[in-house]
Amino acid sequence: MKKDLPKSTKVVVIGGGVAGTSCAYHLAKFGWKDTILLERDQLTSGTTWHAAGLVGQLGASQTITKLRKYSLDLYKELEKTTGLSTGLKQNGAITVASTKDRMQELLRQATTAQLSNVDVQILDKKKTKELYPVIEDADIEGSVFMPKDGQADPVGVTNVLAKAARMKGVKIFEKTPVKKILVNKGKIVGVDTSYGKINCEYVVLATGMWSRQIAEDINVSVPLYPNEHFYVITEPMKSLPKNLPVLRDYNACLYLKEDAGKMLVGIFEPNAKPAFKETGRVPDDFSFGEFPDDFDHFEPYLKKSFHRLPMLKDAGIRKFFSGPESFTPDTQYLLGETAEVKKLYTCCGFNSIGIASAGGAGKVTAEWMINGHINEDLFSLDIKRFQKFHSSKKFIMERVTETLGDLYGMHWPYKQHNTSRNQKILPYHDELKKVGACFGATSGYERPMWYSMNGKQPKYEYSFGFQNWYPSAKHETINARKNVGLFDLSSFSKFDLKGESVHDELQKISTANIKNIPGKTTYTQMLNDDGGIETDLSIVCINKNYFRVVSSAATREHDKIHIEKYLSDKIEINDVTDDYCCFGLFGPRSRDMISKLSSDDFSNENFKFGSAKSIKINNIETWAQRLSYVGELGYELYVKSEDAKRVYNIIVLEGKNFELSHCGMHAMDIMRMECGFLHWGHDISPEENQYQAGLSFTISYKKNVDFVGRDALLKIKDKTPSKQFIMLTLKENKPGEPLLLHEEPIYLNDKIIGRTTSGNYSFCFNKNLSFGYVNGEISKQTLQNAELFVEVAKKRHAAELQTKSLNQNNFKTI
């Protein structure tokens, strides 16, 4: 059968599920009407058709909550626009807690929800029973109720989005498989379908569980893989009350949905089953597909549902369902432009919450494409948070056995995954292990988070209060401020840039005036065209026409792609992250110690703050930089990975004479907050500009370079920022009481004026410390004199403004 497909278009959206139709609708709504959607079979035939259709607004973060809230509002709006039904039923949702820890988690989520104006009510046992009279409540601590949540028909939602897209000019073609995405010189040029080629500028990969293998065919990494997902639908139950709220019992891994007198019982269990395990590939023709029953796997959770809803014991089962749902390594979506191919965007990886999320995800995907960047803090959803190895079958098929369960598992602070570990091991990993390192995985690296003391096991004991690693962090931070701390910085991203025009080009993408003198470093940000902060990094001139950029471990792909976006073909950029290990020697005795390691002159006169030079440690070439992220005199020592173990042993041996302590990443995070240093991804992001963040000192207008974002900054330079960065300490000074994290509302008297972005306990200053942003129109004097509060788990804690950082050491001139 011949199809009359257009020969060219601006955008091809691949995938006719809820995500693809949402992307297509929003692209057309925002002006890109020359958009085509291609579906290999029928709309919804992948995984959308069998979704449970839960529409919940409350997410684990403010970002997720905001996208879900938008989705709900959109579906209601488009019902009116299209005249079709989404089957939306806002009968509310209740999430119960059967442990105190779970209740604490729900209270924290309910607190964060206030920042997005989501209606969340805290219920005791009695009120829970009133709203859900057939529940077994003897073991319930309490619950949260979202009155505007509910359920929708996944097919109905998709059809509404599809009709709305067509009304805006989108052309949708079903039964039109894409054989291959066409790429030339790393850029999208079209798609090859069963009915011919379509030239296009952009492609959106909204192909759900097929996305990884479709992308793999063009050497693009999309880290997701499907698990088997289970639910049962009962026979009609006469005694089942109508219009019950959706019920979630995370501790039992259950969700329960009443629909037309029947009950759907679904699970998100630990130790999930990867689908298509024999081949590791989703069949191209798997439409409206199901798997054979596995009652043995489901039965333990069915018994738990009998406990929570006793009437289920007498209910017959009409349908046992097992079908595929794709999951990502961290249960967050995959959005944004891919690292490998320009103008190829992803909108997939929804971890079984696609109906609740797709409206908002489609919106931000369209904005991202049209603007070329996003002015929201979406890094937690950006596909560039991952690297190539994350999509390998070995890694992803093991990891998703854990992440499906993570959806309803405890969202502990500082939680580490157990699967797919040891991807990148430091050359001296065993040595660190012997001295008590507890490792955490960041960007694939196993890096020490803290070091156990007194022979205790180096293992996290998760809590929403006092952390079991606090005694270690106390020792590490105090000793680093008193003597010397050895920090491992090897996982930090490192990019070498070379070329005759490299300095000029760095000047055009950096806000600071980049020093073009060998051995000089510059701290700077890089912006998008709207002035949003895209990167936060240091740049060192190593030699003529040779610079090294150093940024955080987690942003490796993101930062590299942002830099490459603006560099000309004349510049050679190499990712040397894995080629070098880096040791941080920080503390008041670090100069004396490094002077024993090397014969170079490390006096302040000859090696000032921000300087760098090549030195030798026991005849091993070492690049030394006098920088400090912890606010003490200190040095970063870069060594070739093959020499790193020898240098480590030399440092540790000499360190015995200087009371050297091994220090983990928790200690570093505490110490950087004590110094008022910001962290990209928490305290700064594309959602903030430098004036809001108090980073205007890194802007150089004097260099007379039209750097990216300069025009946007000039427009706001003399205006009052819409929000302002502040530091707060609580009047309560016990560690972990409360545990400060992020996204906690900040109150001025009884009004929310902002949110926190980072939290820690300072053992050096005995203070609970928070960073955050508040309304920019409120004066510092008002903030100093007013009653301020930080709300944690629905309880407000008195706070006071810190006009200066806790640590005032002038380490730059020591």
Side-chain angles (χ1 to χ4, degrees), residues 264-514:
L264 182 150
V265 181
I267 61 171
F268 288 105
E269 75 283 13
N271 303 314
K273 293 180 62 179
F276 312 108
K277 200 169 181 179
E278 289 184 7
T279 63
R281 188 174 177 88
V282 184
D284 293 337
D285 60 353
F286 195 84
S287 296
F288 301 106
E290 299 183 38
F291 298 131
D293 296 353
D294 187 346
F295 193 75
D296 289 342
H297 185 85
F298 188 80
E299 187 179 22
Y301 304 98
L302 185 62
K303 288 180 179 177
K304 291 182 179 183
S305 75
F306 293 165
H307 166 72
R308 187 59 63 214
L309 209 63
M311 64 188 305
L312 287 173
K313 293 177 184 177
D314 301 320
I317 294 177
R318 171 172 287 191
K319 170 74 174 174
F320 186 106
F321 176 82
S322 174
E325 289 274 8
S326 61
F327 287 79
T328 64
D330 60 1
T331 65
Q332 301 281 35
Y333 320 157
L334 301 176
L335 307 180
E337 190 176 26
T338 63
E340 302 89 346
V341 174
K342 293 178 181 177
K343 298 188 177 181
L344 172 62
Y345 283 75
T346 56
C347 187
C348 53
F350 291 106
N351 304 282
S352 205
I353 50 173
I355 306 303
S357 308
K363 172 182 177 286
V364 296
T365 299
E367 291 172 335
W368 214 324
M369 294 171 68
I370 291 168
N371 297 326
H373 59 266
I374 197 78
N375 290 326
E376 294 183 58
D377 182 8
L378 291 179
F379 180 68
S380 64
L381 309 178
D382 189 342
I383 190 170
K384 290 184 289 297
R385 69 190 185 274
F386 293 117
Q387 296 172 43
K388 277 282 188 192
F389 73 87
H390 286 110
S391 65
S392 69
K393 285 182 184 177
K394 184 177 185 301
F395 179 93
I396 194 65
M397 289 179 73
E398 180 185 345
R399 174 55 64 84
V400 297
T401 64
E402 183 177 8
T403 54
L404 181 146
D406 283 346
L407 209 62
Y408 278 13
M410 288 292 297
H411 298 94
W412 293 113
Y414 315 110
K415 185 177 180 181
Q416 294 289 326
H417 283 109
N418 296 313
T419 52
S420 300
R421 292 292 295 268
N422 298 322
Q423 300 297 312
K424 297 179 183 179
I425 299 294
L426 296 168
Y428 37 91
H429 177 88
D430 290 341
E431 282 71 17
L432 296 178
K433 194 173 182 180
K434 287 174 186 174
V435 292
C438 177
F439 294 98
T442 302
S443 198
Y445 275 95
E446 293 292 331
R447 60 182 189 177
M449 303 303 292
W450 52 280
Y451 292 84
S452 65
M453 299 170 63
N454 304 320
K456 292 186 178 179
Q457 189 177 8
K459 184 178 180 181
Y460 281 101
E461 295 172 9
Y462 296 121
S463 165
F464 281 107
F466 187 94
Q467 301 295 300
N468 75 306
W469 47 264
Y470 273 176
S472 295
K474 181 177 181 178
H475 168 71
E476 293 167 22
T477 55
I478 291 175
N479 192 70
R481 296 231 185 272
K482 185 179 178 182
N483 296 299
V484 188
L486 173 61
F487 295 80
D488 191 85
L489 313 178
S490 303
S491 59
F492 282 24
S493 305
K494 300 174 277 288
F495 313 111
D496 280 5
L497 280 66
K498 296 179 181 179
E500 287 189 14
S501 62
V502 64
H503 179 256
D504 291 339
E505 297 197 32
L506 282 170
Q507 288 281 61
K508 290 177 182 177
I509 59 176
S510 306
T511 63
N513 189 15
I514 306 303

Side-chain angles (χ1 to χ4, degrees), residues 18 67 73 81 87 131 181 186 189 320 351 363 369 387 454 478 488 491 504 519 577 617 650 655 670 679 705 757 784:
V18 67
L67 295 184
D73 293 340
T81 304
L131 275 173
I181 298 169
V189 294
F320 186 106
N351 304 282
K363 172 182 177 286
M369 294 171 68
Q387 296 172 43
N454 304 320
I478 291 175
D488 191 85
S491 59
D504 291 339
T577 304
I617 297 177
I650 292 168
I670 291 168
H679 182 272
V705 174
T757 55
Q784 277 183 278

